[in-house]
Amino acid sequence: LWAAVSKLGPWFTPVIQVMTANHPLLALLPNPLQNGLRSLLYRNWRPTTPTTSTTTATTATTATTATNVGTSMKHRADFRPSAIVTVISTFGTISEFMFPILCLCG
């Protein structure tokens, strides 16, 4: 029963997420399958493609135009657990509570 009580905090869902993403058997899978599984575990696993932004600024006094062309990359910023991980961790917590109760009753 104490194992179930330890899973009641806000830390349990990210623990399941990281343990699944870093499992040693995951390294045996091909890279597309590894990335596919990790994208299911995190809300935003893959970075977006680089985008080119062009900004034009014109000053009223000199009427010159300056153009800045840069490349920006959005990084993997959202490592929060996905809804699938939340469901898995909730099922784990419920099963940890139910197992001792079922053993006592049956």
Side-chain angles (χ1 to χ4, degrees):
L1 192 60
W2 284 111
V5 173
S6 69
K7 293 173 179 59
L8 289 178
W11 54 82
F12 184 62
T13 302
V15 167
I16 292 297
Q17 172 191 22
V18 172
M19 285 175 44
T20 305
N22 293 332
H23 195 277
L25 292 178
L26 191 63
L28 299 176
L29 296 174
N31 282 336
L33 289 176
Q34 289 180 17
N35 291 335
L37 179 63
R38 287 189 178 115
S39 68
L40 292 175
L41 298 174
Y42 297 97
R43 288 192 187 180
N44 185 13
W45 171 252
R46 297 176 191 265
T48 58
T49 57
T51 58
T52 304
S53 62
T54 304
T55 57
T56 303
T58 305
T59 60
T61 57
T62 59
T64 58
T65 303
T67 304
N68 296 326
V69 177
T71 304
S72 65
M73 173 70 85
K74 291 184 180 178
H75 297 286
R76 302 175 189 159
D78 197 0
F79 286 119
R80 292 179 296 170
S82 67
I84 294 172
V85 175
T86 305
V87 169
I88 291 171
S89 65
T90 303
F91 176 75
T93 303
I94 291 171
S95 64
E96 289 274 350
F97 270 113
M98 294 304 294
F99 184 75
I101 293 170
L102 291 175
C103 286
L104 289 175
C105 293

